[in-house]
Amino acid sequence: MNLLVNIDHIATLRNARGEGYPVPAEAARVCEDAGAKGIVFHLRGDRRHIKDEDVVELKKVVRGTLDFEMAATDEMLNILIETDPHLATLVPEGREELTTEGGLNMSVVYDDFKERVFPKIRETNIEISLFIDPNPRDVELAHELGSDAIELHTGVYANAKSDDGRINELKRLREAAQMAHSLGMKVNAGHGLNLKNLSLLLEYVPHLNDISIGHALVSEALFKGLPDTVQEYLELLSIHRDVK
Ligand code: PXP
């Protein structure tokens, strides 16, 4: 299992004052030096955090997995291909949302992904991951498209207000992970994960490959420092799984 750190909110802090710091690429270097296996960024259509110049710098400095999270617009596909990261994680994107609010609606995007998006990315060596909610139909459609991986949306689990709600969502995540794995896809996960909710997820959900964590990790790093925070996450992950 790999810890990938999402550094979007380093850019949020930088953009709050426009002084040019903190620098996302510098944070990426510190996270990788501390043991993270890669870096995730989301270049949004409105450029609210990561900017195009950050993408160029991240491509230069990241030594491990570079995961380019994006909506599948023509504009982003062109930047993706120019950037040539290891992985493209395709997500839905709504202008008014504070953060990605759910997985792709696979039955809605299926034809467009099949005809326009997958053929374009398949001209490259970039792996494709689809950010989906943990339901069997979406896993099946991701497989039919020939996706290399899915990223399970863990936000509903992370925000569950009751034990029943949490357990119910963990079951859905477990079944989706088992199904995706048996269909030959890698299983990634992310959204809303933190030091309090990670353990239970890892106990329940098998076959996890990349775990993507951003907001909580960057927030904790304000108090504990980025290297120590990354190491704390790695220690927690290694209690449950082999961390590469
Ligand atoms: N995975 C995806 C697809 C996301 O959209 C996000 C949020 O940008 C994350 C993981 C990380 O979520 P968080 O910042 O809550 O850790």
Side-chain angles (χ1 to χ4, degrees):
M1 190 168 49
N2 308 308
L3 172 65
L4 305 190
V5 179
N6 176 317
I7 43 77
D8 292 348
H9 295 303
I10 301 289
T12 304
L13 188 55
R14 186 246 341 253
N15 299 348
R17 290 291 289 270
E19 299 286 358
Y21 60 83
V23 177
E26 179 64 11
R29 190 186 58 72
V30 172
C31 290
E32 288 201 301
D33 285 351
K37 277 293 167 276
I39 299 298
V40 189
F41 66 88
H42 183 177
L43 183 67
R44 297 186 73 106
D46 62 10
R47 309 299 199 271
R48 70 172 70 154
H49 35 58
I50 293 293
K51 312 278 186 201
D52 297 56
E53 311 82 80
D54 294 320
V55 177
V56 174
E57 292 307 308
L58 287 164
K59 170 67 182 175
K60 284 189 206 153
V61 306
V62 172
R63 292 159 285 154
T65 302
L66 184 62
D67 178 0
F68 189 149
E69 194 186 309
M70 53 177 266
T73 59
D74 286 338
E75 182 202 19
M76 282 303 147
L77 286 169
N78 288 333
I79 300 172
L80 173 77
I81 287 164
E82 231 170 83
T83 307
D84 191 28
H86 302 98
L87 182 64
T89 298
L90 305 182
V91 301
E93 204 172 280
R95 245 166 214 282
E96 305 301 323
E97 68 189 6
L98 285 177
T99 180
T100 315
E101 282 170 354
L104 291 160
N105 186 334
M106 287 304 300
S107 30
V108 170
V109 301
Y110 186 87
D111 289 343
D112 179 43
F113 274 28
K114 187 169 177 172
E115 282 150 31
R116 181 182 62 93
V117 179
F118 270 61
K120 187 143 187 181
I121 304 178
R122 286 302 183 217
E123 288 170 10
T124 71
N125 290 320
I126 303 166
E127 283 190 26
I128 305 175
S129 177
L130 300 176
F131 184 57
I132 60 172
D133 296 317
N135 70 64
R137 185 66 187 136
D138 286 345
V139 175
E140 202 171 272
L141 290 174
H143 173 63
E144 280 176 29
L145 277 172
S147 195
D148 303 293
I150 55 162
E151 179 178 329
L152 290 172
H153 178 227
T154 51
V156 174
Y157 159 68
N159 294 323
K161 298 280 177 274
S162 67
D163 286 348
D164 279 357
R166 236 180 314 279
I167 296 297
N168 191 39
E169 194 60 16
L170 283 169
K171 283 186 188 148
R172 280 164 37 88
L173 288 162
R174 176 168 58 200
E175 281 163 22
Q178 282 165 338
M179 183 176 170
H181 177 75
S182 72
L183 292 170
M185 292 185 286
K186 286 186 194 160
V187 183
N188 303 329
H191 214 285
L193 297 176
N194 58 38
L195 290 168
K196 291 199 183 99
N197 61 27
L198 250 183
S199 290
L200 200 58
L201 178 85
L202 299 174
E203 274 169 34
Y204 261 81
V205 184
H207 311 303
L208 294 174
N209 184 54
D210 293 337
I211 302 282
S212 161
I213 306 182
H215 187 255
L217 190 154
V218 168
S219 304
E220 284 151 7
L222 290 173
F223 302 100
K224 301 181 226 166
L226 206 40
D228 283 356
T229 308
V230 168
Q231 275 158 21
E232 204 174 337
Y233 274 89
L234 288 170
E235 277 160 29
L236 184 70
L237 293 177
S238 66
I239 294 172
H240 299 273
R241 305 286 164 81
D242 254 6
V243 177
K244 286 177 230 150

